[in-house]
């Protein structure tokens, strides 16, 4: 049995988890997954304030780790390794989590594994669904919008990324335009449920383009122009704008992902079951999930999305990434000199495109 304590503090959730793998052929088990959100601390500012986030992690992390161990029914002595998010993210929060993990690992004489937060998202489908390599990953969050081919632990190739705003960032900015409360994404989705998705003919950025990447800046501008033209906005106006924006996003994603599905099929013609994994905070959006699920059905792909609790930042995915790296022989288990990285691409081989990595807390 392998049991790993995971710690996640890359943005505005303080989280700890214990994940166990009984043997190489058995399914993994999440023994505990404790998450403390900082939504209330940041709500007044309409977004995450890095200094406030770091201080909140300092205050809460020790108690969260104690709760995770207690919920799992294990002591620190019974844990085989400590895995912590080392990047990308807000550097203040990363310092808190990684330094805490270093202290625990050193005091308990346990191996320390520095984990890329994005790898946690990339491998979650193997934790929840036992998915086999290779597969496609659509990562959609506040700081990233990428399509990645996942061929193995540590073997990632980025096929597409955003050339401007990440999708989660676009959701948050639209929410601010419409005076919706923080966090923006869930509140845009909530308002959209009461709206008419056909009232506003918003653009579908990059649709039909030979370039594989995403763009959301123009769509965001179109939303601003529409809202300004009919101001002051009624509740129904807001709902209709949100629904139309969400429909445009879903269509744009489907167009971009369809290209990747065809490329994946061409690259792996003999694969018995091809799969698309959708991960990250925006993967919790129901309309986006349903649109991509239909797309996968039409193209003979299996659609895999983690449960909502594992879409947003969590420590179970960090603990699992630690287990995966241990089993693959890729874990740096002497990571006490590893420095937090605010920017840490999952694919460190592909060259960045214009605009990539310049926006978003986790870019």
């Amino acid at each position: 049995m392998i049991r790993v304590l995971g710690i996640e503090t890359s943005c505005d959730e303080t989280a700890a988890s214990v994940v166990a793998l009984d043997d190489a052929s058995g399914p993994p088990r999440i023994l505990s997954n404790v998450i403390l959100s900082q939504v209330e601390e940041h709500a007044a500012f309409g977004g995450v304030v890095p200094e406030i986030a770091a201080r909140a992690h300092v205050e809460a992390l020790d108690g969260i780790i104690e709760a995770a161990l207690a919920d799992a029914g294990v002591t620190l002595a019974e844990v085989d390794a400590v895995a912590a998010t080392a990047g990308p993210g807000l550097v203040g929060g990363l310092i808190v989590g990684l330094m805490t993990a270093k202290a625990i690992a050193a005091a308990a004489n346990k191996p320390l594994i520095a984990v890329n937060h994005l790898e946690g998202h990339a491998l979650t489908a193997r934790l929840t669904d036992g998915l086999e390599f290779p597969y496609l990953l659509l990562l959609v969050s506040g700081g990233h919008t990428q399509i990645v081919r996942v061929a193995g632990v540590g073997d990632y190739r980025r096929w597409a990324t955003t050339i401007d705003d990440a999708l989660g960032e676009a959701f948050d900015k639209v929410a601010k335009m419409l005076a919706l409360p923080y966090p923006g994404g869930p509140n845009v989705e909530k308002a959209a449920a009461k709206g008419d998705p056909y009232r506003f003919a918003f653009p579908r950025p990059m649709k039909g383009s030979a370039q594989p990447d995403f763009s959301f800046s123009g769509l965001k501008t179109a939303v601003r122009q529409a809202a300004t033209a009919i101001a002051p906005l009624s509740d129904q106006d807001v709902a209709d704008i949100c629904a139309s924006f969400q429909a445009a996003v879903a269509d744009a994603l489907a167009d971009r992902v369809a290209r990747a599905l065809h490329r994946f099929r061409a690259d792996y013609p003999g694969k018995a079951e091809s799969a698309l994994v959708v991960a990250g905070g925006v993967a919790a959006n129901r309309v986006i999930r349903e649109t991509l699920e239909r797309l996968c059905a039409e193209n003979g792909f299996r659609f895999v999305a983690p449960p909502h609790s594992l879409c947003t930042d969590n420590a179970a995915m960090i603990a699992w990434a630690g287990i995966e790296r241990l089993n693959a022989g890729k874990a740096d288990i002497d990571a006490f000199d590893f420095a937090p990285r605010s920017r840490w691409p999952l694919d460190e081989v592909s060259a960045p495109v214009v605009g990539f990595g310049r926006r978003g807390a986790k870019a």
Side-chain angles (χ1 to χ4, degrees):
M1 177 185 291
I2 300 175
R3 285 179 289 208
V4 171
L5 168 66
I7 298 172
E8 158 61 28
T9 57
S10 66
C11 193
D12 62 338
E13 277 91 17
T14 310
S17 171
V18 178
V19 175
L21 184 64
D22 293 335
D23 58 70
S25 60
R29 295 180 293 129
I30 300 175
L31 302 183
S32 65
N33 191 29
V34 182
I35 304 172
L36 178 64
S37 174
Q38 299 177 9
V39 168
E40 293 184 3
E41 286 87 341
H42 301 285
F45 304 96
V48 178
V49 181
E51 177 64 18
I52 292 176
R55 289 178 180 274
H57 289 312
V58 170
E59 294 173 359
L61 184 55
D62 288 355
I64 295 295
I65 293 171
E66 289 179 352
L69 291 170
D71 288 355
V74 301
T75 65
L76 189 55
E78 295 172 313
V79 169
D80 297 292
V82 180
T85 301
L90 300 176
V91 71
L94 293 172
I95 289 172
V96 173
L98 187 56
M99 291 300 291
T100 301
K102 288 180 178 181
I104 291 173
N109 194 28
K110 302 292 181 180
L112 173 68
I113 306 168
V115 174
N116 185 317
H117 176 91
L118 305 182
E119 184 169 53
H121 282 302
L123 298 176
T124 297
R126 289 173 50 78
L127 168 63
T128 59
D129 293 80
L131 199 60
E132 297 292 328
F133 298 122
Y135 52 85
L136 267 183
L137 167 70
L138 172 63
L139 177 60
V140 276
S141 67
H144 295 85
T145 302
Q146 300 179 358
I147 297 176
V148 179
R149 184 219 63 193
V150 181
V153 178
D155 187 355
Y156 312 106
R157 288 297 179 270
R158 193 193 71 235
W159 284 4
T161 187
T162 177
I163 61 175
D164 41 58
D165 291 8
L167 183 52
E169 182 183 8
F171 266 95
D172 287 342
K173 289 182 176 179
V174 166
K176 284 187 178 181
M177 292 178 203
L178 303 177
L180 292 173
Y182 174 83
N187 284 297
V188 168
E189 182 180 11
K190 182 179 179 180
K194 302 176 183 178
D196 177 5
Y198 302 102
R199 178 177 170 187
F200 297 94
F202 290 138
R204 273 59 174 164
M206 306 293 286
K207 187 172 183 177
S209 171
Q211 183 179 357
D213 299 310
F214 302 88
S215 173
F216 298 105
S217 182
L219 174 57
K220 182 185 64 182
T221 300
V223 171
R224 182 185 298 278
Q225 291 172 339
T228 301
I230 61 172
L233 302 177
S234 67
D235 289 346
Q236 190 59 52
D237 291 333
V238 170
D240 292 345
I241 290 174
C242 288
S244 300
F245 166 75
Q246 188 172 254
V249 164
D251 284 352
L253 283 178
D255 179 76
R256 303 288 83 198
V257 170
R259 292 178 54 85
L261 297 184
H262 296 152
R263 178 179 173 181
F264 188 89
R265 185 78 77 193
D267 285 0
Y268 299 97
K271 185 167 174 57
E273 181 184 61
S274 299
L276 171 71
V277 174
V278 184
V282 184
N285 182 284
R286 181 183 58 81
V287 170
I288 289 175
R289 282 197 184 213
E290 291 176 351
T291 299
L292 294 177
E293 194 166 9
R294 287 194 299 270
L295 177 68
C296 285
E298 293 166 0
N299 287 273
F301 272 69
R302 178 183 174 187
F303 176 83
V304 179
H308 287 201
S309 62
L310 297 180
C311 285
T312 54
D313 294 350
N314 65 91
M317 69 179 188
I318 303 304
W320 173 246
I323 291 176
E324 287 267 42
R325 296 194 73 81
L326 282 172
N327 285 339
K330 294 181 178 292
D332 179 3
I333 59 173
D334 188 21
F336 289 94
D337 60 348
F338 196 100
R341 300 178 60 179
S342 61
R343 301 182 187 277
W344 188 3
L346 188 58
D347 173 6
E348 299 193 74
V349 176
S350 300
V353 301
V354 175
F356 173 72
R358 298 182 184 177
R359 298 176 184 270
K362 297 183 181 176

